[in-house]
Each structure stands twice: as C-alpha cells, then as structure tokens.
Amino acid sequence: MTRPPMALRVYGRVANVAAPLLFRRIRDRLIAHGTAPARTRERLGHATLPRPAGRLIWFHGASVGESLSALPVIAALLDQPDAPTILVTSGTATSAQILAQRLPQGCIHQFAPLDSAAALRRFNAHWQPDLLVLMESEIWPQMIATAPCPVVLLNARLSPRALARWQKLGASAGWLLGQLTLIIAQTEAVATGLRSLGVTPGRIRTGANLKAAAAPPSADPHTLAQMNSALGPRPRWLAASTHAGEEALLLDVHKALLATSPDLCLILAPRHPDRADRIAQLIADAGLTLTRRSAGDTPTAQVYLADTLGEMGLWYRTAPLTFIGGSLTPNGGHNPWEAAPLGTALLTGANLNNCAADWHMLAEARGATSGLTPQQLTDALRTMLNDPKIARDMASNAAACAAAQKGDLARIAAELTALLPAKDTA
C-alpha cells in the first residue's frame, strides 16, 4: 500500500489526539440512552464478546438505517453453504437496541471503534476480519487504511454536495477510494460521481437499493388485531420518526384535519421515545386528548403517542396514511423503505438530504409524495381521507417498487463470498 497523502496523514494525527475527548462525549451519550457502561468501551476497540472460529465478515453502518440496509445481504450470505460469522458495528444506542431485535441468530453486534489508530488496532487484533463491508457513505480513512482485509463499499450513496466536498480533496479522495476493492452504488449517478473521483470502472457497479430490499419490520399478529379492534372504523394517520420542532407543526395539521374528520386519530411515533414527556406536554398545550402506548393505553383519544421502540412494523400496518419525519425540520429525512411494503401511503417533507434518492425512486413509481409543507401535507391527507382509493393505489405502487429491488441480493452475496479466504479444511 502506498503512503497516504499529507492531508490524510494530518487527519490521522488529529483523530488520534482527539479520540479520548471524543470518547468521553460519546460514552455519556450512550449511557444516557440506556447503554450498559461496560459496552461503551467497545468504541475504543475493546471487545466484549469472543471471536468465533472461522471466517468473519465485518459490516459497519453509522446508525439504524445503514445497519438495517445490510440485513438482506447478511441473510443471503447466511443462506450459503459454509456461511461466515457476521459482525455488525454501529455507533448509536438506538441502532444497538434495534439490531438486537433484528439481527439473525448467531450474528454479533458491537459498537464501532472510533477512527483512531489505537481503537482500530485493538479491534482488528481481536476480531481479525476477513472482509470489511462499509455501508452507504461510511468512508472512514483510518478504518479503511488499517483494515487487515479487503474493503467493500456497499449501497454507496453520494449527494451532489458530498461529491463537491470529495472533489476538493483531490489526491486524498483518489487514494482513499483506491483502497476499496469493490464499490456497489445505489444509483448510476452515484457511480458516475465516484468514477469522477478516480475509481476505476472495473471496481464499481450499480446495484439494488438495499434499504428497499430489506425485510420490513415485523408486528405481532395478536397485537395488530388488538390495535385495529381498538381503533375500529376510525380513520387514522401515522406521523413516524418525528423530531423536535416537527411535532408542533404536525399537531396543527391534525387539528385542521379534525375540523372535517372529527373521529380522526393521529398515531405519533417520535424518532427518540425518550422525548415522549415533552411531546405529551405539547399535545396537551394544543388542546388535544392523549393516550400513550408506554402506559398500556389503547388509541381512544385524538392523539395516540407511540412512545416505544421496536414497534414501527405495528404502526405502519395500522395506518393507511404515513408521514415520515425528519423532513419538515433540517434533519435530512428518513428511510421510507421500511414502510413501503406494508400497505401505507407515504408522504414526507422537503428536507431529505439523507435520503433524497430513495424518495425520488418511490415518487417516480407513484408510490410516495415528497417535498410537502405543513399546509400541503394537510391538503394531501384530507384528499386521501376523502378518497381512500388514492392512498391504496399509492401504497400498492410503493410495495411493487420495493419488491423490484430484491433481485440483486444473490449476486452481491456471491461477490462478497469471492473476496473471503478459502475455508480452512484442516
């Protein structure tokens, strides 16, 4: 391997010096969100589980969306003979909690090591990965440079703004991307942008959108039946993955809709349920009645606060209309693909820096509407409440678009397997 350009060497020195201070901030945040203190040292590369014998593939995603997008590929790998061990790393407490529920049996989760030499040295010495698979835009210089194995960038995404930043890096971008053995991009536009940074055509191709190929979140049939029974014939809509600043806007939308649909129920599922008490106060201040999932209540009020983790599959199946948040405020939006197969019409706002290509794909298939202001959201919801067939058609189109993304999984699994060392038969 050639020596990294000066800019990357400077980055490495700064990252190594900053790691202890950064760890203290991350540790406190993880603990505040329910992580056991002993597990926080995983961010420094200290393993808390043994390494199984045999070949091991390390998947790394930043948070919930990126990690879950790896699940369909992981499932395809585990279906092969002599399947490797799968290790998944992520950085947030929420991702750890959800992956604990969603990872296939036998897979391992650890918090990702910081991009510092010491943390990565400990991590690699313990886990000895045979292949590193980075998800989407998780391009960490020292993680890539110190990997003791081939490195793949999977489901790669690159916004125009990110591409412009990469182009300013010049030789550093070319060197770093040159360390990647294989890149599978979400779209041809992303592949073209990466080629412009110096990626040789033989090492990059366009593949399926893996977030769309992932299995949707599950729901207990008995609980789903109970929820639908409690709601009865009431119309309902879901506001999912909302952030601070959005709930007040969405409550105004709901109040406007109640004027023409007085039985309407809003199921409000915030991105971070630990904000639930503050949201409950907002609901009370808006003059709306409230029941809460965390209290064991049923949805009998004007607003049902779905303040639990791991139940999004239930809410998407319950509501024929879904607004996905992080998009009325500058949070970048959220993945629509979890909901797409589950029979709900999809709407979102205009702040979609994290997932614009996903929403564009669905919109082109007439499976979603994006770019909505609160007033436009009110109008769209009112139209679909008055004519449910519009919502049913949109939901059907979204499900068909998601199903079309599953065809590339076998090829991806074969490409990753080909990069592993031969199985030891001794």
Side-chain angles (χ1 to χ4, degrees):
M1 182 184 293
T2 60
R3 194 180 189 199
M6 177 59 73
L8 291 177
R9 299 202 300 274
V10 171
Y11 163 85
R13 295 189 190 106
V14 172
N16 295 341
V17 170
L21 177 61
L22 181 60
F23 169 70
R24 287 195 287 272
R25 293 176 58 190
I26 291 172
R27 176 196 60 198
D28 293 344
R29 189 180 307 127
L30 287 173
I31 293 172
H33 286 85
T35 301
R39 286 206 63 190
T40 64
R41 286 176 55 78
E42 293 170 15
R43 297 296 324 247
L44 293 176
H46 295 284
T48 55
L49 292 170
R51 185 203 191 279
R55 300 178 300 175
L56 182 143
I57 300 180
W58 169 20
F59 282 83
H60 171 64
S63 188
V64 176
E66 297 84 357
S67 301
L68 293 181
S69 69
L71 291 182
V73 176
I74 290 172
L77 287 164
L78 294 177
D79 280 343
Q80 295 186 334
D82 301 321
T85 294
I86 303 296
L87 167 69
V88 180
T89 62
S90 62
T92 66
T94 301
S95 65
Q97 293 161 2
I98 292 177
L99 285 169
Q101 300 170 359
R102 301 282 298 274
L103 277 176
Q105 186 174 4
C107 294
I108 299 167
H109 176 266
Q110 296 276 275
F111 287 108
L114 297 174
D115 199 39
S116 73
L120 289 161
R121 185 168 54 249
R122 294 185 196 102
F123 184 93
N124 287 322
H126 178 83
W127 292 108
Q128 300 175 44
D130 296 298
L131 179 65
L132 168 57
V133 182
L134 303 172
M135 301 304 301
E136 300 199 8
S137 55
E138 285 298 282
I139 306 174
W140 292 96
Q142 296 201 102
M143 185 180 287
I144 292 170
T146 62
C149 58
V151 183
V152 173
L153 181 61
L154 186 56
N155 212 35
R157 63 178 173 90
L158 193 68
S159 68
R161 182 182 298 178
L163 176 61
R165 290 198 298 265
W166 276 99
Q167 288 170 335
K168 291 178 181 179
L169 291 174
S172 294
W175 184 91
L176 190 58
L177 293 171
Q179 310 311 305
L180 302 175
T181 302
L182 173 66
I183 301 173
I184 301 178
Q186 285 187 18
T187 65
E188 184 55 34
V190 171
T192 299
L194 289 168
R195 291 187 196 103
S196 76
L197 296 173
V199 176
T200 55
R203 292 190 297 109
I204 185 169
R205 72 170 180 86
T206 303
N209 187 317
L210 294 181
K211 285 183 178 178
S218 62
D220 176 68
H222 179 67
T223 305
L224 178 59
Q226 285 183 321
M227 198 61 57
N228 283 324
S229 176
L231 283 161
R234 291 181 66 193
R236 76 292 302 254
W237 68 289
L238 167 66
S241 295
T242 60
H243 287 254
E246 284 187 308
E247 287 90 7
L249 299 173
L250 294 167
L251 292 172
D252 286 342
V253 169
H254 190 54
K255 290 172 73 173
L257 293 171
L258 286 169
T260 52
S261 299
D263 291 336
L264 183 65
C265 178
L266 165 60
I267 301 170
L268 181 53
R271 184 72 171 181
H272 302 293
D274 57 356
R275 296 178 46 247
D277 288 343
R278 282 170 283 174
I279 297 169
Q281 187 60 53
L282 281 176
I283 295 167
D285 292 344
L288 295 168
T289 59
L290 163 71
T291 53
R292 295 177 66 163
R293 175 65 171 166
S294 63
D297 299 334
T298 54
T300 54
Q302 293 168 318
V303 181
Y304 188 56
L305 185 54
D307 51 350
T308 54
L309 273 174
E311 291 196 297
M312 288 311 303
L314 174 64
W315 311 129
Y316 289 136
R317 287 174 173 87
T318 300
L321 306 169
T322 292
F323 171 83
I324 296 184
S327 57
L328 293 178
T329 51
N331 294 99
H334 288 298
N335 168 26
W337 295 111
E338 281 195 340
L342 298 180
T344 187
L346 298 173
L347 307 110
T348 199
N351 291 283
L352 299 174
N353 291 341
N354 295 337
C355 51
D358 302 294
W359 283 97
H360 179 71
M361 181 183 292
L362 280 166
E364 281 199 325
R366 298 183 181 180
T369 300
S370 62
L372 298 172
T373 64
Q375 182 57 56
Q376 290 169 331
L377 174 62
T378 304
D379 294 340
L381 289 168
R382 183 177 288 118
T383 296
M384 287 188 279
L385 287 166
N386 290 333
D387 187 353
K389 185 178 183 301
I390 298 174
R392 289 196 298 270
D393 289 346
M394 183 183 288
S396 177
N397 292 338
C401 184
Q405 304 302 308
K406 298 182 184 295
D408 200 35
L409 294 178
R411 180 181 176 186
I412 294 172
E415 288 171 318
L416 298 183
T417 300
L419 295 174
L420 293 172
K423 183 174 173 60
D424 186 1
T425 56

